[in-house]
Amino acid sequence: MNNETQGGLSKGEAESEWDEKKAAVGKTLVCPLAGALFSHGDLTLEETDQGELFCSLDDAQKGLVAAGLPLKICEKVCEGIEKLILAGPKAEEYKSKGNRFDWKDMNGWGVIHQFNSQIRSAGKEPSEEAFQKMATFMREEDGEKRMYATDFFKFLDNLNKDESVPKQGEGPHPASVIGAAVEAFGKARDKEIKEPGLGTDNYLTEGDLRRLYMESRYPIDWKPNTSPSSAEVIREVYRTKIGWELFGTHQQSGWKFW
């Protein structure tokens, strides 16, 4: 089969076209961000006869940039993915395939993704039941349901306490990924929050989350942010309440964003 799907959304460009056939595949990826990028043609994945979806780190980085995240953040995310793969069970296979990995089976390549919301599972349709559980952590504001980075943390923390849910194992705290996603796709809150230096809090509506998690598509009227700073993304990560554990030690660990 070997059907290669090319992507690349220009900054400031109107939303790229959503492809229902791609979305049928995109919904089987654990990561909702990757699923939406693929479904809109902004992430290049190569499908094999075995149903694998191979991706190079260069293409992964281009996809994250298409989501409107700063280049420095995208580079660090991809560096982290590669480190996990090279320390995982398929390091030699990764090298032999030209530094490409199967995004559909990230866990099998050592890229821990068990911390997910349980809404999406590799190779399966998204779970409405799990989505409704996440919805209980949304807050009512201005006539709609919203989730902020702090709400995502509460939801993930609750999952972590559930003995029936697989634990994430080693690797970055899941809230750091959520913080970046909220910065990329979220809407800015009208009111300035009171935390010094943290600027305006971003949120995703229930409708936004349904499109991302259940349909593998971008929020309505979404366009990539043309000017987010690395500091803004880190602020959203900080709001997830992993706090100074990450925010205060990023320089010692080599995560120098500004």
Side-chain angles (χ1 to χ4, degrees):
M1 188 158 41
N2 284 336
N3 298 320
E4 194 164 351
T5 306
Q6 299 296 334
L9 179 67
S10 300
K11 293 298 184 66
E13 189 176 332
E15 179 185 318
S16 53
E17 187 174 352
W18 179 74
D19 186 306
E20 188 173 0
K21 289 183 179 179
K22 289 182 192 172
V25 177
K27 286 190 287 188
T28 67
L29 301 178
V30 173
C31 175
L33 173 57
L37 287 167
F38 176 68
S39 300
H40 284 271
D42 295 320
L43 176 64
T44 299
L45 299 175
E46 184 181 344
E47 189 172 7
T48 70
D49 293 329
Q50 290 72 41
E52 300 160 314
L53 289 170
F54 276 93
C55 182
S56 71
L57 285 179
D58 284 345
D59 285 330
Q61 183 171 303
K62 288 175 185 176
L64 293 171
V65 170
L69 292 170
L71 180 59
K72 281 186 178 180
I73 295 289
C74 300
E75 288 174 343
K76 290 299 180 183
V77 168
C78 289
E79 283 177 17
I81 290 175
E82 185 168 49
K83 285 180 181 178
L84 289 169
I85 291 173
L86 291 176
K90 295 188 178 180
E92 293 306 314
E93 185 177 350
Y94 170 72
K95 295 174 187 175
S96 70
K97 292 185 181 296
N99 294 356
R100 294 159 65 82
F101 67 99
D102 180 11
W103 203 306
K104 198 168 185 176
D105 182 29
M106 295 182 78
N107 285 336
W109 289 76
V111 185
I112 303 301
H113 220 300
Q114 291 287 11
F115 58 69
N116 77 79
S117 62
Q118 304 300 296
I119 297 171
R120 298 169 68 103
S121 301
K124 298 180 181 179
E125 284 284 308
S127 166
E128 177 66 31
E129 181 182 358
F131 183 85
Q132 291 303 326
K133 287 181 180 178
M134 182 173 73
T136 64
F137 289 82
M138 299 176 189
R139 64 179 84 174
E140 292 277 356
E141 278 188 353
D142 298 329
E144 63 184 0
K145 289 185 177 181
R146 299 174 177 177
M147 281 192 84
Y148 292 81
T150 49
D151 301 319
F152 277 107
F153 177 82
K154 291 173 185 175
F155 171 55
L156 291 169
D157 191 49
N158 183 71
L159 281 179
N160 194 49
K161 293 173 182 175
D162 186 340
E163 294 296 329
S164 67
V165 175
K167 300 303 180 282
Q168 74 167 82
E170 298 299 322
H173 195 291
S176 61
V177 180
I178 292 296
V182 171
E183 178 61 37
F185 291 107
K187 298 174 176 66
R189 193 179 194 179
D190 292 334
K191 301 172 185 176
E192 194 77 5
I193 60 173
K194 300 299 182 182
E195 298 171 75
L198 290 187
T200 303
D201 208 353
N202 284 5
Y203 65 88
L204 289 163
T205 67
E206 182 178 20
D208 295 336
L209 289 163
R210 178 167 290 281
R211 288 173 69 89
L212 285 168
Y213 275 92
M214 303 300 293
E215 301 172 14
S216 284
R217 64 197 309 171
Y218 298 149
I220 294 174
D221 296 328
W222 175 82
K223 292 181 181 178
N225 189 345
T226 58
S227 58
S229 69
S230 299
E232 286 173 331
V233 178
I234 290 298
R235 286 167 187 155
E236 289 295 353
V237 172
Y238 176 64
R239 288 193 187 95
T240 61
K241 291 191 175 179
I242 54 177
W244 297 105
E245 178 184 346
L246 174 69
F247 191 80
T249 60
H250 62 276
Q251 291 197 4
Q252 292 97 306
S253 61
W255 286 60
K256 299 179 181 178
F257 293 103
W258 59 82

